[in-house]
Coordinates of all heavy atoms in Angstrom, one line a residue:
M293 N -83.3 -143.7 -53.9 CA -84.0 -143.2 -55.1 C -84.6 -141.9 -54.9 O -85.6 -141.8 -54.1 CB -85.0 -144.2 -55.6 CG -84.4 -145.6 -56.0 SD -83.4 -145.5 -57.4 CE -84.6 -145.7 -58.7
A294 N -84.2 -140.9 -55.6 CA -84.8 -139.6 -55.5 C -85.7 -139.3 -56.7 O -85.7 -140.1 -57.7 CB -83.7 -138.5 -55.5
Y295 N -86.6 -138.3 -56.5 CA -87.4 -137.9 -57.6 C -86.7 -136.9 -58.5 O -85.8 -136.2 -58.1 CB -88.7 -137.2 -57.1 CG -89.8 -138.2 -56.7 CD1 -89.6 -139.2 -55.8 CD2 -91.0 -138.1 -57.4 CE1 -90.6 -140.1 -55.5 CE2 -92.1 -139.0 -57.1 CZ -91.9 -140.0 -56.1 OH -92.8 -140.9 -55.8
K296 N -87.1 -136.9 -59.8 CA -86.5 -136.0 -60.7 C -87.6 -135.3 -61.5 O -88.6 -135.9 -61.9 CB -85.5 -136.7 -61.7 CG -84.7 -135.8 -62.5 CD -83.7 -136.5 -63.4 CE -82.9 -135.5 -64.1 NZ -82.1 -136.0 -65.3
I297 N -87.4 -134.0 -61.8 CA -88.4 -133.2 -62.6 C -88.0 -133.2 -64.1 O -86.9 -132.9 -64.4 CB -88.5 -131.8 -62.0 CG1 -89.0 -131.8 -60.6 CG2 -89.3 -130.9 -62.9 CD1 -88.9 -130.5 -59.8
S298 N -89.0 -133.6 -64.9 CA -88.7 -133.6 -66.3 C -88.9 -132.3 -67.0 O -89.3 -131.3 -66.4 CB -89.7 -134.6 -67.0 OG -91.0 -134.0 -67.1
D299 N -88.7 -132.3 -68.3 CA -88.8 -131.0 -69.1 C -90.2 -130.5 -69.2 O -90.4 -129.4 -69.7 CB -88.3 -131.3 -70.6 CG -86.8 -131.6 -70.6 OD1 -86.1 -131.3 -69.6 OD2 -86.3 -132.0 -71.6
A300 N -91.2 -131.3 -68.8 CA -92.6 -130.9 -68.8 C -92.9 -129.8 -67.8 O -93.9 -129.1 -67.9 CB -93.5 -132.1 -68.5
C301 N -92.0 -129.6 -66.9 CA -92.2 -128.6 -65.8 C -92.5 -127.2 -66.4 O -91.8 -126.7 -67.3 CB -90.9 -128.5 -65.0 SG -90.9 -127.2 -63.7
V302 N -93.5 -126.5 -65.9 CA -93.9 -125.2 -66.3 C -93.6 -124.2 -65.2 O -94.1 -123.0 -65.3 CB -95.4 -125.1 -66.7 CG1 -95.7 -126.0 -67.9 CG2 -96.3 -125.6 -65.5
S303 N -92.8 -124.5 -64.3 CA -92.3 -123.6 -63.2 C -93.4 -122.9 -62.4 O -93.3 -121.7 -62.2 CB -91.4 -122.6 -63.8 OG -90.2 -123.2 -64.3
C304 N -94.4 -123.7 -62.0 CA -95.5 -123.1 -61.3 C -95.2 -123.0 -59.8 O -95.7 -122.2 -59.0 CB -96.8 -123.9 -61.4 SG -96.7 -125.6 -60.6
G305 N -94.2 -123.8 -59.3 CA -93.8 -123.7 -57.9 C -94.6 -124.6 -56.9 O -94.3 -124.6 -55.7
A306 N -95.6 -125.3 -57.4 CA -96.5 -126.1 -56.5 C -95.7 -127.2 -55.8 O -95.9 -127.5 -54.6 CB -97.6 -126.7 -57.2
C307 N -94.7 -127.8 -56.5 CA -94.0 -128.9 -55.9 C -93.1 -128.3 -54.7 O -93.0 -128.9 -53.7 CB -93.1 -129.5 -56.9 SG -92.0 -128.4 -57.8
A308 N -92.4 -127.2 -55.0 CA -91.5 -126.7 -54.0 C -92.3 -126.3 -52.7 O -91.8 -126.5 -51.6 CB -90.8 -125.5 -54.5
A309 N -93.5 -125.8 -52.9 CA -94.3 -125.3 -51.8 C -94.7 -126.5 -50.9 O -95.0 -126.4 -49.7 CB -95.5 -124.6 -52.3
N310 N -94.8 -127.7 -51.5 CA -95.3 -128.9 -50.8 C -94.2 -129.9 -50.4 O -94.5 -130.9 -49.8 CB -96.3 -129.6 -51.7 CG -97.6 -128.9 -51.7 OD1 -98.4 -128.9 -50.7 ND2 -97.9 -128.1 -52.8
C311 N -92.9 -129.6 -50.7 CA -91.9 -130.5 -50.3 C -91.5 -130.3 -48.9 O -91.2 -129.2 -48.4 CB -90.6 -130.2 -51.2 SG -89.2 -131.3 -50.8
P312 N -91.6 -131.4 -48.1 CA -91.4 -131.3 -46.6 C -89.9 -131.1 -46.2 O -89.6 -130.7 -45.1 CB -91.8 -132.7 -46.1 CG -91.6 -133.6 -47.3 CD -91.9 -132.8 -48.5
V313 N -89.0 -131.3 -47.2 CA -87.6 -131.1 -46.8 C -86.9 -130.0 -47.6 O -85.7 -129.9 -47.6 CB -86.8 -132.5 -47.0 CG1 -87.3 -133.5 -46.0 CG2 -86.9 -133.0 -48.4
E314 N -87.7 -129.2 -48.3 CA -87.2 -128.1 -49.1 C -86.1 -128.5 -50.1 O -85.0 -127.9 -50.2 CB -86.7 -127.0 -48.2 CG -87.8 -126.4 -47.4 CD -87.4 -125.3 -46.5 OE1 -86.2 -124.9 -46.4 OE2 -88.3 -124.7 -45.9
A315 N -86.3 -129.7 -50.8 CA -85.3 -130.2 -51.7 C -85.5 -129.6 -53.1 O -84.6 -129.8 -54.0 CB -85.5 -131.7 -51.8
I316 N -86.6 -128.8 -53.3 CA -86.9 -128.3 -54.7 C -86.6 -126.8 -54.8 O -87.1 -126.0 -54.0 CB -88.3 -128.6 -55.1 CG1 -88.6 -130.1 -54.9 CG2 -88.5 -128.2 -56.6 CD1 -90.1 -130.5 -55.1
T317 N -85.8 -126.4 -55.8 CA -85.6 -125.0 -56.0 C -85.8 -124.6 -57.5 O -85.8 -125.5 -58.3 CB -84.1 -124.7 -55.7 OG1 -83.2 -125.5 -56.4 CG2 -83.8 -124.8 -54.2
E318 N -86.0 -123.3 -57.7 CA -86.2 -122.9 -59.1 C -84.9 -122.9 -59.8 O -83.9 -122.2 -59.4 CB -86.8 -121.5 -59.1 CG -87.3 -121.1 -60.4 CD -88.1 -119.8 -60.4 OE1 -88.2 -119.2 -59.3 OE2 -88.7 -119.4 -61.5
G319 N -84.8 -123.6 -60.9 CA -83.6 -123.7 -61.7 C -83.8 -122.8 -63.0 O -84.7 -122.0 -63.1
D320 N -82.9 -123.1 -63.9 CA -82.9 -122.4 -65.2 C -84.0 -123.0 -66.1 O -83.7 -124.0 -66.8 CB -81.5 -122.4 -65.8 CG -81.4 -121.6 -67.1 OD1 -82.3 -120.7 -67.3 OD2 -80.5 -121.8 -67.9
G321 N -85.2 -122.3 -66.2 CA -86.2 -122.8 -67.1 C -87.2 -123.8 -66.5 O -88.2 -124.1 -67.0
Q322 N -86.8 -124.5 -65.4 CA -87.6 -125.4 -64.7 C -87.1 -125.6 -63.3 O -86.0 -125.2 -62.9 CB -87.6 -126.8 -65.4 CG -86.3 -127.6 -65.3 CD -86.4 -128.9 -66.0 OE1 -86.5 -129.0 -67.2 NE2 -86.5 -130.0 -65.2
Y323 N -88.0 -126.3 -62.4 CA -87.6 -126.5 -61.1 C -86.7 -127.8 -61.0 O -86.8 -128.7 -61.9 CB -88.8 -126.7 -60.2 CG -89.4 -125.3 -59.7 CD1 -89.8 -124.3 -60.6 CD2 -89.4 -125.0 -58.3 CE1 -90.2 -123.1 -60.2 CE2 -89.9 -123.8 -57.9 CZ -90.3 -122.8 -58.8 OH -90.8 -121.6 -58.4
V324 N -85.9 -127.8 -60.0 CA -85.0 -129.0 -59.9 C -85.0 -129.5 -58.4 O -85.2 -128.8 -57.5 CB -83.5 -128.6 -60.2 CG1 -83.4 -128.3 -61.7 CG2 -83.0 -127.4 -59.4
I325 N -84.8 -130.8 -58.3 CA -84.8 -131.5 -57.0 C -83.3 -131.9 -56.7 O -82.6 -132.4 -57.5 CB -85.6 -132.8 -57.1 CG1 -87.1 -132.4 -57.3 CG2 -85.4 -133.6 -55.9 CD1 -88.0 -133.6 -57.6
D326 N -83.0 -131.6 -55.4 CA -81.6 -132.0 -54.9 C -81.7 -133.4 -54.5 O -82.4 -133.7 -53.5 CB -81.3 -131.0 -53.8 CG -79.9 -131.4 -53.2 OD1 -79.3 -132.5 -53.5 OD2 -79.4 -130.6 -52.4
P327 N -81.1 -134.3 -55.2 CA -81.2 -135.8 -54.8 C -80.6 -136.1 -53.4 O -81.0 -137.1 -52.8 CB -80.5 -136.5 -55.9 CG -79.5 -135.5 -56.5 CD -80.2 -134.1 -56.3
E328 N -79.8 -135.2 -52.9 CA -79.2 -135.4 -51.6 C -80.2 -135.1 -50.5 O -80.1 -135.7 -49.4 CB -78.0 -134.5 -51.4 CG -76.9 -134.8 -52.4 CD -76.1 -136.1 -52.1 OE1 -75.9 -136.4 -50.9 OE2 -75.9 -136.8 -53.1
K329 N -81.2 -134.3 -50.8 CA -82.2 -133.9 -49.8 C -83.5 -134.7 -49.9 O -84.2 -134.9 -49.0 CB -82.5 -132.4 -49.9 CG -81.4 -131.5 -49.5 CD -81.9 -130.0 -49.6 CE -80.8 -129.1 -49.2 NZ -81.2 -127.7 -49.4
C330 N -83.9 -135.1 -51.2 CA -85.1 -135.8 -51.4 C -85.3 -137.1 -50.7 O -84.4 -137.9 -50.7 CB -85.2 -136.0 -53.0 SG -86.7 -136.9 -53.4
I331 N -86.5 -137.2 -50.0 CA -86.7 -138.5 -49.3 C -87.8 -139.3 -50.0 O -88.4 -140.2 -49.4 CB -87.2 -138.1 -47.8 CG1 -88.4 -137.2 -47.8 CG2 -86.1 -137.5 -47.0 CD1 -89.1 -137.0 -46.4
S332 N -88.1 -139.0 -51.3 CA -89.0 -139.8 -52.1 C -90.4 -139.9 -51.5 O -90.9 -141.0 -51.6 CB -88.4 -141.1 -52.4 OG -87.2 -141.0 -53.2
C333 N -90.9 -138.8 -51.0 CA -92.2 -138.9 -50.3 C -93.4 -138.9 -51.4 O -94.5 -139.3 -51.1 CB -92.4 -137.8 -49.3 SG -92.6 -136.1 -50.1
G334 N -93.1 -138.3 -52.6 CA -94.1 -138.3 -53.6 C -95.0 -137.1 -53.6 O -95.8 -136.9 -54.5
A335 N -94.8 -136.2 -52.6 CA -95.7 -135.0 -52.6 C -95.6 -134.1 -53.8 O -96.6 -133.5 -54.3 CB -95.4 -134.2 -51.3
C336 N -94.4 -134.0 -54.3 CA -94.2 -133.1 -55.5 C -95.0 -133.6 -56.7 O -95.7 -132.9 -57.4 CB -92.7 -133.0 -55.9 SG -91.8 -134.6 -56.0
A337 N -94.9 -135.0 -56.9 CA -95.7 -135.6 -58.0 C -97.2 -135.4 -57.9 O -97.9 -135.1 -58.8 CB -95.3 -137.1 -58.1
E338 N -97.6 -135.6 -56.6 CA -99.1 -135.4 -56.3 C -99.6 -134.0 -56.6 O -100.7 -133.8 -57.0 CB -99.4 -135.8 -54.9 CG -99.3 -137.3 -54.6 CD -99.3 -137.6 -53.1 OE1 -99.8 -136.8 -52.3 OE2 -98.8 -138.7 -52.7
N339 N -98.7 -133.0 -56.4 CA -99.2 -131.6 -56.5 C -98.8 -131.0 -57.8 O -99.2 -129.8 -58.1 CB -98.6 -130.8 -55.4 CG -99.2 -131.1 -54.0 OD1 -100.3 -130.7 -53.7 ND2 -98.6 -132.0 -53.2
C340 N -98.1 -131.7 -58.7 CA -97.7 -131.1 -60.0 C -98.9 -131.2 -61.0 O -99.4 -132.3 -61.2 CB -96.5 -131.8 -60.5 SG -96.0 -131.2 -62.1
P341 N -99.3 -130.1 -61.6 CA -100.4 -130.1 -62.6 C -100.0 -130.8 -63.9 O -100.9 -131.2 -64.7 CB -100.7 -128.6 -62.8 CG -99.4 -127.9 -62.6 CD -98.7 -128.7 -61.4
V342 N -98.7 -131.0 -64.2 CA -98.3 -131.6 -65.5 C -97.6 -132.9 -65.3 O -97.1 -133.5 -66.3 CB -97.5 -130.6 -66.3 CG1 -98.3 -129.4 -66.7 CG2 -96.2 -130.2 -65.6
G343 N -97.5 -133.5 -64.1 CA -96.9 -134.8 -63.8 C -95.4 -134.8 -64.1 O -94.9 -135.8 -64.6
A344 N -94.7 -133.7 -63.9 CA -93.3 -133.6 -64.2 C -92.4 -134.4 -63.3 O -91.4 -135.0 -63.7 CB -92.9 -132.2 -64.3
P345 N -92.6 -134.4 -62.0 CA -91.7 -135.2 -61.1 C -92.0 -136.7 -61.1 O -93.2 -137.1 -61.1 CB -92.0 -134.6 -59.7 CG -92.9 -133.4 -59.9 CD -93.6 -133.6 -61.2
A346 N -91.0 -137.4 -61.3 CA -91.1 -138.9 -61.3 C -89.9 -139.5 -60.6 O -88.8 -138.9 -60.5 CB -91.2 -139.4 -62.7
E347 N -90.1 -140.7 -60.0 CA -89.0 -141.4 -59.3 C -88.1 -141.9 -60.3 O -88.4 -142.6 -61.3 CB -89.6 -142.5 -58.4 CG -88.7 -142.9 -57.3 CD -89.4 -143.7 -56.2 OE1 -90.5 -144.2 -56.4 OE2 -88.8 -143.8 -55.1
E348 N -86.8 -141.7 -60.1 CA -85.8 -142.2 -61.0 C -85.5 -143.7 -60.7 O -85.3 -144.0 -59.6 CB -84.5 -141.4 -60.8 CG -84.6 -140.1 -61.5 CD -83.6 -140.0 -62.7 OE1 -82.4 -140.0 -62.5 OE2 -84.2 -140.0 -63.8
Ligands
SF4_1495 FE1 -89.6 -133.3 -51.9 FE2 -90.9 -135.5 -51.6 FE3 -90.7 -134.5 -54.0 FE4 -88.5 -135.6 -52.8 S1 -90.4 -136.7 -53.4 S2 -88.6 -133.6 -53.9 S3 -88.9 -135.0 -50.7 S4 -91.8 -133.6 -52.3
SF4_1496 FE1 -92.7 -127.8 -62.3 FE2 -94.7 -129.4 -61.6 FE3 -93.1 -128.3 -59.8 FE4 -94.9 -126.9 -61.1 S1 -95.3 -128.5 -59.6 S2 -92.8 -126.3 -60.7 S3 -94.8 -127.8 -63.1 S4 -92.5 -129.8 -61.4

């Protein structure tokens, strides 16, 4: 189970800076998580100011 970033993302970059496996990259209008890399550690959700990342 990987985490996924919702439309609430405001592209601040805090999640990408805190992801231990560099699974998060800046996409078109919001950041996106590569489900193949995500280890579901939850760091992105903890560091997001708008609660956009959630476990699928
Ligand atoms: Fe990266 Fe962890 Fe978020 Fe997955 S849950 S994208 S590994 S910070
Ligand atoms: Fe988007 Fe939240 Fe990541 Fe910022 S921390 S880029 S708002 S998902």
Side-chain angles (χ1 to χ4, degrees):
M293 295 291 277
Y295 272 61
K296 187 173 185 200
I297 295 173
S298 77
D299 292 346
C301 174
V302 294
S303 294
C304 70
C307 55
N310 287 283
C311 178
V313 295
E314 298 183 355
I316 309 174
T317 53
E318 189 170 8
D320 186 16
Q322 69 176 73
Y323 275 60
V324 291
I325 294 171
D326 181 346
E328 298 289 317
K329 292 183 180 174
C330 177
I331 55 172
S332 297
C333 70
C336 51
E338 288 169 20
N339 287 282
C340 178
V342 296
E347 199 162 17
E348 280 252 290

